[in-house]
């Protein structure tokens, strides 16, 4: 499979923060902040829609661990956790990844979108989501 992140994992070609059988973490080539880390499932899953919930839980546990270390080891005040999944989301690499970006009060940086979506939904999108979740099988 021709996947950038699978190549990194297979060829051991990254600055690893953590490596595990289910989830791994490494530094991106162009960090947005000092300590910016990508957390990925070690196996290839394309996006949030694709990954089994158990593997996602392991991956998110590593996201939480990395975030905690950013507070203690980097003295970050907080973190931003960002993911893009699927067409239209600006997902850059089609291997599920979570950006964990340490934040400091003096960093003069914003990852929060300043614009609002122009997409329109005719009826109530919140009611549609609630109805769909209520009808879905519980895990
Ligand atoms: Zn991959």
């Amino acid at each position: 499979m021709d996947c950038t992140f699978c190549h990194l994992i297979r060829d051991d070609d990254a600055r690893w923060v953590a490596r595990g059988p289910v989830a791994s973490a490494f530094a991106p080539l162009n960090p947005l902040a000092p300590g910016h880390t990508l957390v990925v499932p070690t196996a290839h899953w394309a996006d949030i829609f694709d990954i089994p919930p158990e593997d996602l839980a392991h991956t998110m546990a590593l996201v939480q661990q990395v975030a905690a270390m950013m507070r203690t080891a980097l003295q970050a005040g907080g973190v931003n956790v960002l993911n893009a999944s699927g067409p239209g989301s600006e997902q850059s690499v089609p291997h599920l990844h979570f950006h964990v970006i340490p934040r400091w009060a003096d960093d003069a940086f914003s990852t929060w979108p300043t614009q609002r979506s122009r997409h329109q939904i005719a009826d109530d999108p919140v009611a549609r989501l609630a109805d769909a979740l209520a009808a879905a099988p519980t895990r």
Side-chain angles (χ1 to χ4, degrees), residues 1-7 9 41-46 93-96:
M1 177 178 297
D2 192 31
C3 166
T4 305
F5 291 167
C6 285
H7 278 290
I9 291 162
T42 303
H44 182 87
W45 300 107
V93 175
H95 182 132
L96 177 65

Side-chain angles (χ1 to χ4, degrees), residues 27-76:
L29 289 179
N30 296 302
L32 298 175
H36 177 180
T37 299
L38 298 179
V39 177
V40 302
T42 303
H44 182 87
W45 300 107
D47 55 34
I48 198 91
F49 306 108
D50 189 36
I51 188 170
E54 301 77 24
D55 284 21
L56 179 60
H58 278 278
T59 305
M60 291 312 292
L62 183 55
V63 166
Q64 185 181 41
Q65 221 173 8
V66 166
M69 293 308 118
M70 286 174 176
R71 282 213 300 199
T72 56
L74 305 181
Q75 285 79 50

